[in-house]
């Protein structure tokens, strides 16, 4: 039979606590460009579905300019706010996301965003039970001085329903 002294149990417990703290605070590698941008696009999509304009706009740079329409961050906020206030869409789906690293601090993306008036859980069910609006959005994210990835450029075009499949 093994008997453990109080100091030995305390020492083992302290060693386990220190080992856990080291593992918890150990520096983790930063995600790569593709993963970082993918995370941002997914977070923005979720925020849009929750109608949280502020959360979406946190991922849009002050330097943002849209190709074609020339919108700034302010105009994008206005359009998004109008969409939320009208409340026309309930679900937001993102499909066909492609991300390409341009440099360690810059990446291009392209994705389809489908907005629908439905409680559908899957994009395939959305078409059968909803009125849809769909857009192809292409743009560029850059890692800014504060370490956050933000959209600095984007353009969009409406998608025809035949382009969704």
């Amino acid at each position: 039979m093994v008997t453990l002294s109080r100091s030995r149990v305390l020492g083992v417990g302290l060693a386990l606590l220190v080992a856990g703290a080291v593992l918890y605070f150990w520096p983790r590698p930063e995600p790569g460009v593709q993963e970082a941008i993918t995370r941002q696009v997914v977070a923005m999509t979720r925020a849009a579905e929750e109608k949280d304009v502020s959360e979406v706009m946190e991922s849009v740079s002050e330097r943002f300019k849209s190709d074609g329409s020339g919108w700034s961050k302010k105009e994008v906020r206005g359009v998004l706010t109008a969409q939320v206030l009208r409340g026309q869409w309930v679900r937001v789906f993102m499909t066909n996301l492609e991300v390409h690293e341009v440099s360690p601090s810059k990446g291009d993306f392209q994705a389809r965003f489908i907005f629908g008036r439905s409680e559908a859980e899957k994009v395939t069910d959305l078409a059968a039970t909803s009125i849809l609006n769909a857009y192809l959005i292409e743009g560029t994210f850059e890692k800014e001085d504060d370490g956050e990835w933000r959209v600095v450029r984007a353009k969009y075009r409406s998608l025809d329903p035949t382009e969704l499949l």
Side-chain angles (χ1 to χ4, degrees):
M1 177 178 261
V2 176
T3 57
L4 298 174
S5 68
R6 187 175 176 179
S7 62
R8 191 171 287 214
V9 170
L10 189 58
V12 169
L14 185 58
L16 288 172
L17 181 65
V18 168
V22 166
L23 287 175
Y24 181 78
F25 291 109
W26 194 266
R28 290 173 180 79
E30 234 180 84
V33 172
Q34 289 182 323
E35 184 178 342
I37 292 173
T38 298
R39 287 180 184 180
Q40 284 301 101
V41 172
V42 169
M44 291 173 79
T45 304
R46 286 185 183 144
E49 185 167 90
E50 293 170 6
K51 297 178 177 29
D52 188 345
V53 175
S54 295
E55 182 74 23
V56 174
M57 295 310 296
E58 283 183 25
S59 295
V60 178
S61 175
E62 293 299 326
R63 301 177 291 127
F64 178 83
K65 283 291 180 203
S66 67
D67 295 346
S69 63
W71 291 349
S72 67
K73 182 175 180 174
K74 184 177 179 181
E75 282 89 15
V76 170
R77 178 182 295 279
V79 169
L80 232 86
T81 302
Q83 287 291 327
V84 167
L85 293 176
R86 280 193 295 187
Q88 288 189 351
W89 40 267
V90 176
R91 297 299 315 235
V92 181
F93 291 96
M94 183 258 310
T95 64
N96 299 75
L97 175 63
E98 294 177 22
V99 178
H100 303 285
E101 182 175 337
V102 174
S103 75
S105 61
K106 184 177 183 178
D108 293 333
F109 76 97
Q110 174 180 303
R112 294 177 179 170
F113 293 89
I114 303 165
F115 301 84
R117 280 191 255 170
S118 169
E119 295 294 331
E121 294 295 321
K122 296 184 221 165
V123 73
T124 52
D125 298 336
L126 189 65
T129 63
S130 178
I131 297 171
L132 301 175
N133 290 322
Y135 303 93
L136 176 69
I137 299 178
E138 298 174 281
T140 301
F141 274 86
E142 287 184 8
K143 189 173 185 180
E144 296 195 324
D145 293 339
D146 64 358
E148 295 296 320
W149 287 87
R150 292 192 179 88
V151 180
V152 293
R153 180 194 64 77
K155 66 179 179 180
Y156 76 95
R157 74 172 175 86
S158 294
L159 292 174
D160 186 88
T162 59
E163 294 179 272
L164 298 178
L165 301 175

